[in-house]
Amino acid sequence: MQPFQTTLSNKGTVAGVHSIPPPPSASRDDHRPLIVALHGGCYDHQYFDATPNYSASTASEAFGVPFVSIDRPSYGGTSSILPITESSDFYQETGRWLHHYILPKLWSEFGVPNRCNCVVLLSHSLGAMGGIVAAALHAQDDASLYPLGGLIVSGMGNTQSLFMTDAPPSFIPVDDDHTLFPLDKKDTVMFKPGTVDPEILALCERLNTVSPLAEVAQFPAMWLPVWKEKWAPQVKTSIMFCLVEDDPFFVVNEEEMAICVRAFSNSPRVDGSLVRAAPHCMELSHWSQGWYARCFGFAMECSAGYVGSD
């Protein structure tokens, strides 16, 4: 993918990479989404473009769908939203930046010129919170600067696992506001044996990213207890919500999946699925291209449906 960095309306910056296939011929009646990907904690935009074999660019080129992977706020080349005021939290501020500044800019830069008709968010793990908040804010906005057609969530659940409540991983302090996942433990947590190619394991250091401490520290108390009542019911776009069976961070079963799906009570479509045997970082695993194909297919369905309801 091609790198970019651009200035936002609030004078901040957003950075990442993009895959922009040529637009369809003018004679075709195509429904084309712009997929915007939001990485999880301790990763950056490279999560969705790790190697040629484990990149969303393969599906982007195959389906002719533009794809943008960004550094989320407070990561990499995107502006920091720290410090967070006491009246807010990291997830609200991330969603606010996405909705008011980042997504409108990406839409004008990559969506409109490439004949897209809506944005579909692809969010993984700790990236899901900002995506859900942004979708909720979009539903309340009578004059949004971008059209939102759908939201995809993976690697985020409802109930923390015993691993997380009894023996959570220890992070390495970088400074007062940032932390780092220990290299010698990260991949053993993110992947079960036999689920990932050695070429991905060899990239552990490159893919490991300094993360805002607030995102990790606030999660158990300020997101998990409230998201189903405070944020999910406000979302009014289509949802694809996925749990993976070998997720070390969450309890995963059909009942938990049903709880997550029911939370989006005002969404017109909520698809829920449990991927057997897949690890937390499914996008970097043997499931990668199959999962991307499903995400792009859902996004194209959202795009077609968005036109139909417009």
Side-chain angles (χ1 to χ4, degrees):
M1 296 196 205
Q2 298 300 311
F4 74 92
Q5 186 175 55
T6 187
T7 303
L8 305 173
S9 63
N10 66 348
K11 307 306 180 184
T13 59
V14 61
V17 292
H18 62 73
S19 169
I20 310 294
S25 63
S27 62
R28 291 174 55 193
D29 183 21
D30 282 83
H31 308 302
R32 200 180 199 211
L34 170 67
I35 300 179
V36 176
L38 309 174
H39 61 82
C42 303
Y43 287 96
D44 62 11
H45 70 267
Q46 297 177 89
Y47 180 81
F48 297 99
D49 189 38
T51 74
N53 291 326
Y54 295 91
S55 172
S57 62
T58 301
S60 172
E61 294 165 4
F63 292 113
V65 171
F67 183 93
V68 178
S69 174
I70 66 167
D71 293 333
R72 290 192 289 109
S74 299
Y75 280 87
T78 297
S79 296
S80 177
I81 56 176
L82 302 176
I84 305 297
T85 64
E86 292 185 3
S87 61
S88 187
D89 57 53
F90 189 87
Y91 320 115
Q92 292 186 58
E93 291 306 301
T94 298
R96 189 175 71 85
W97 266 63
L98 285 168
H99 176 63
H100 291 293
Y101 310 121
I102 294 175
L103 293 175
K105 184 65 174 181
L106 297 179
W107 176 246
S108 66
E109 288 278 327
F110 301 114
V112 174
N114 292 288
R115 294 168 49 194
C116 298
N117 74 325
C118 68
V119 171
V120 175
L121 298 176
L122 169 54
S123 61
H124 175 257
S125 192
L126 294 181
M129 291 93 79
I132 292 171
V133 173
L137 295 176
H138 183 274
Q140 301 169 20
D141 195 338
D142 293 330
S144 179
L145 297 177
Y146 64 97
L148 183 64
L151 169 64
I152 301 167
V153 177
S154 71
M156 174 57 59
N158 173 62
T159 305
Q160 284 193 302
S161 64
L162 291 178
F163 166 74
M164 284 301 294
T165 56
D166 294 349
S170 297
F171 292 88
I172 301 171
V174 174
D175 55 35
D176 290 343
D177 296 318
H178 298 87
T179 190
L180 192 64
F181 207 117
L183 281 174
D184 61 338
K185 296 182 173 62
K186 187 175 183 182
D187 281 350
T188 59
V189 172
M190 300 301 184
F191 307 102
K192 289 292 181 70
T195 65
V196 61
D197 194 285
E199 73 170 304
I200 294 296
L201 299 179
L203 298 177
C204 184
E205 184 172 4
R206 177 166 73 81
L207 296 176
N208 201 28
T209 304
V210 172
S211 304
L213 179 61
E215 180 173 68
V216 179
Q218 294 178 356
F219 179 74
M222 302 189 75
W223 178 260
L224 277 185
V226 304
W227 77 274
K228 296 190 302 298
E229 292 77 25
K230 184 175 182 179
W231 295 112
Q234 297 187 56
V235 176
K236 295 182 179 180
T237 193
S238 296
I239 305 290
M240 184 164 78
F241 200 104
C242 176
L243 294 178
V244 295
E245 186 174 35
D246 283 333
D247 196 320
F249 303 114
F250 300 99
V251 176
V252 177
N253 54 44
E254 296 291 351
E255 181 181 358
E256 287 290 304
M257 171 57 68
I259 291 171
C260 294
V261 166
R262 286 198 301 268
F264 296 95
S265 54
N266 288 304
S267 295
R269 169 185 177 182
V270 188
D271 294 358
S273 64
L274 196 164
V275 182
R276 300 292 179 184
H280 180 73
C281 291
M282 184 162 55
E283 292 83 354
L284 297 174
S285 75
H286 296 323
W287 284 256
S288 173
Q289 292 305 324
W291 169 243
Y292 278 134
R294 185 142 62 105
C295 291
F296 276 74
F298 176 79
M300 288 187 286
E301 289 182 12
C302 289
S303 176
Y306 189 86
V307 170
S309 64
D310 192 22

